[in-house]
């Protein structure tokens, strides 16, 4: 009745995407469009075509080559409100076309003062684009990211912006950026302020061995996060804490495998720690992280999970249901997603109409 898991099926699944960096989600084709528009300007002519600059084989990305793609290239290309709005709209369209019904997009407020873009204008531009896109099919919320390289003052500025735009769809704060940089103790006051204003908290957690010391992980847990991203280089004691708090987990299969982030340089999808957490009491959300860089849309992440961990169509629907538990968008959105999943299940029960 339910049949094999196919790509059509994982595309049709009503999915929630909870860990997607806006700039990392821009496709090379969209960047190419921005580049074509700017090519004739003096600044644009300095930049290489993104179709060659941003599409080195995904497998070649690792922690050293990955972050400079943003700092040295994409931020220089998408550096004004027009390109940020255009890229954001394309990103929303692509998630929607991939069957995403609920999206928490995250982004680091950034400025380009020579183009009249302050951090606040950047956030307003992203929020306006989300509002223009509408909520009929895809419901989108925003998480503002603090970069590990930030000072406390910069982090506080991000939290203040999040508070100011909470009623326009900002639901949380994230800590991201190169895990080899920064000191996470810097941000205690910023996270405290966010929590005091009912913003939810998600943290990049245990991405590489250097950012996975007991002290760092305990410090991050002391900030009372609601969800954790990646959660790779953990210890049994840390895992026990994550389990007992039932923290939501944002797991990114392709990103972790292609960027060679798994312990001991393991390279197989079957080595991914999804296998350890699946079936436990933590809500798991499969996520893309940076679909523009790794090239694997979320429908493909569900397909990969089915393929490598032997999950059925029914298991995937349940996995999607589990992800809903940890969304930041509130009870109404949860009920909307549960209804969509119920409807989808009914369609699957009717073999004729099944995707
Ligand atoms: P933005 O915040 O929308 O500009 O998205 C790009 C930014 O997200 C990068 O500059 C990084 O700070 C962050 N980012 C993207 N992927 C990762 C990741 O895998 N780990 C940590 N930070 C990341
Ligand atoms: Zn991330």
């Amino acid at each position: 009745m339910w049949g094999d898991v196919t790509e059509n099926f994982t595309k049709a699944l009503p999915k929630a995407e909870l860990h997607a960096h806006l700039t990392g989600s821009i496709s090379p084709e969209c960047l190419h469009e921005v580049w074509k528009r700017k090519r004739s300007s003096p600044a644009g002519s300095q930049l290489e075509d993104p179709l060659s600059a941003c599409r080195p084989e995904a497998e070649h990305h690792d922690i050293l080559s990955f972050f400079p793609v943003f700092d040295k290239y994409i931020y220089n290309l998408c550096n004004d409100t027009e390109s940020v709005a255009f890229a954001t709209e394309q990103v929303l369209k692509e998630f929607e076309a991939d069957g995403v019904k609920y999206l928490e997009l995250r982004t680091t407020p950034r400025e380009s003062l020579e183009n009249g873009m302050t951090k606040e204008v950047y956030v307003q531009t992203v929020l306006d684009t989300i509002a223009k896109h509408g909520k009929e099919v895809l419901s989108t919320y925003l998480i503002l990211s603090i970069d590990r390289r930030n000072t406390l003052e910069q982090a506080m500025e991000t939290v203040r912006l999040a508070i100011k735009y909470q009623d326009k769809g900002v639901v949380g704060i994230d800590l991201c950026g190169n895990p080899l940089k920064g000191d996470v103790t810097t941000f205690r006051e910023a996270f405290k302020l966010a929590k005091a204003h009912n913003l939810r908290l998600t943290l990049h957690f245990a991405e590489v061995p250097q950012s996975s010391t007991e002290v760092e992980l305990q410090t991050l847990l002391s900030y009372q996060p609601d969800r954790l991203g990646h959660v790779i280089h953990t210890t049994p004691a840390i895992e026990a804490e994550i389990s007992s708090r039932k923290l939501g987990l944002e797991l990114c299969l392709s990103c972790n495998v292609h960027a060679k982030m798994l312990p001991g340089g393991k390279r197989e999808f079957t080595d991914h720690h999804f296998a350890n957490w699946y079936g436990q009491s933590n809500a798991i959300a499969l996520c893309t992280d940076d679909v523009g860089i790794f090239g694997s849309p979320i429908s493909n992440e569900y397909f990969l999970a089915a393929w490598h961990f032997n999950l059925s169509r029914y298991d995937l629907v349940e996995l999607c249901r589990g992800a809903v538990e940890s969304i930041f968008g509130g009870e109404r959105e949860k009920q909307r997603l549960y209804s969509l999943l119920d409807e989808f299940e009914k369609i699957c029960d009717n073999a004729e109409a099944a995707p």
Side-chain angles (χ1 to χ4, degrees), residues 102-171:
Y102 175 92
L103 171 64
E104 285 176 18
L105 204 54
R106 60 185 74 192
T107 198
T108 323
R110 59 189 165 87
E111 63 191 15
S112 175
L113 297 180
E114 62 279 21
N115 294 308
M117 189 170 77
T118 60
K119 289 184 181 182
E120 180 161 4
V121 167
Y122 175 81
V123 171
Q124 285 169 339
T125 304
V126 174
L127 285 170
D128 286 350
T129 310
I130 290 172
K132 268 193 208 126
H133 184 83
K135 278 182 175 267
E136 289 73 33
V137 181
L138 171 70
S139 206
T140 304
Y141 294 83
L142 195 63
I143 293 172
L144 295 187
S145 299
I146 292 171
D147 188 301
R148 292 175 63 106
R149 294 171 298 184
N150 285 169
T151 61
L152 174 60
E153 186 38 47
Q154 288 167 326
M156 292 297 263
E157 189 185 354
T158 297
V159 175
R160 280 187 221 110
L161 281 173
I163 295 166
K164 181 164 178 186
Y165 291 96
Q166 227 167 339
D167 64 347
K168 298 267 184 291
V170 178
V171 288

Side-chain angles (χ1 to χ4, degrees), residues 212-220 235 237-238:
S212 307
T213 60
E214 184 75 14
V215 174
E216 169 150 346
L217 299 187
Q218 290 295 0
T219 304
L220 290 173
T235 61
I238 294 287

Side-chain angles (χ1 to χ4, degrees), residues 1-14 278 302-303 305-307 310-321 341 344-345 347-355:
M1 158 173 89
W2 281 64
D4 290 340
V5 173
T6 59
E7 284 165 357
N8 278 348
F9 177 84
T10 58
K11 212 165 176 175
L13 257 178
Y278 181 68
Y302 276 88
F303 186 79
W307 182 259
N310 202 18
L311 306 186
S312 66
R313 287 185 171 210
Y314 180 75
D315 295 331
L316 292 189
V317 174
E318 286 307 297
L319 193 55
C320 287
R321 232 189 271 284
L341 284 159
F344 184 75
E345 222 175 313
I347 295 172
C348 293
D349 281 337
N350 173 357
E352 303 280 292

Side-chain angles (χ1 to χ4, degrees), residues 111-321:
E111 63 191 15
S112 175
L113 297 180
E114 62 279 21
N115 294 308
M117 189 170 77
T118 60
K119 289 184 181 182
E120 180 161 4
V121 167
Y122 175 81
V123 171
Q124 285 169 339
T125 304
V126 174
L127 285 170
D128 286 350
T129 310
I130 290 172
K132 268 193 208 126
H133 184 83
K135 278 182 175 267
E136 289 73 33
V137 181
L138 171 70
S139 206
T140 304
Y141 294 83
L142 195 63
I143 293 172
L144 295 187
S145 299
I146 292 171
D147 188 301
R148 292 175 63 106
R149 294 171 298 184
N150 285 169
T151 61
L152 174 60
E153 186 38 47
Q154 288 167 326
M156 292 297 263
E157 189 185 354
T158 297
V159 175
R160 280 187 221 110
L161 281 173
I163 295 166
K164 181 164 178 186
Y165 291 96
Q166 227 167 339
D167 64 347
K168 298 267 184 291
V170 178
V171 288
I173 290 288
D174 161 48
L175 177 68
C176 72
N178 189 336
L180 300 180
K181 306 264 160 103
D183 171 359
V184 298
T185 60
T186 312
F187 309 115
R188 183 172 299 278
E189 286 308 308
F191 295 137
K192 210 167 133 190
L193 179 66
K195 283 257 145 184
H197 285 265
N198 290 322
L199 285 161
R200 311 296 293 282
L201 188 57
T202 175
L203 304 172
H204 281 66
F205 191 87
E207 278 180 281
V208 296
Q210 295 90 323
S211 66
S212 307
T213 60
E214 184 75 14
V215 174
E216 169 150 346
L217 299 187
Q218 290 295 0
T219 304
L220 290 173
L221 289 174
S222 76
Y223 298 147
Q224 303 302 322
D226 299 284
R227 293 200 311 248
L228 300 174
H230 296 294
V231 196
I232 304 170
H233 301 274
T234 48
T235 61
I238 294 287
E239 285 159 21
E241 187 64 29
I242 293 171
S243 280
S244 76
R245 292 200 208 173
K246 292 199 169 53
L247 300 180
L249 305 179
E250 303 155 358
L251 301 183
C252 310
L253 301 174
S254 292
C255 158
N256 294 169
V257 169
H258 292 315
K260 307 174 199 71
M261 293 159 79
L262 300 183
K266 288 185 180 153
R267 295 294 305 274
E268 302 296 330
F269 279 94
T270 45
D271 295 322
H272 196 278
H273 46 289
F274 170 84
N276 308 341
W277 290 105
Y278 181 68
Q280 304 220 25
S281 52
N282 297 70
I284 294 178
L286 290 182
C287 303
T288 52
D289 208 6
D290 298 286
V291 58
I293 306 271
F294 297 108
S296 174
I298 190 160
S299 60
N300 192 51
E301 294 296 288
Y302 276 88
F303 186 79
L304 290 170
W307 182 259
H308 293 287
F309 301 103
N310 202 18
L311 306 186
S312 66
R313 287 185 171 210
Y314 180 75
D315 295 331
L316 292 189
V317 174
E318 286 307 297
L319 193 55
C320 287
R321 232 189 271 284

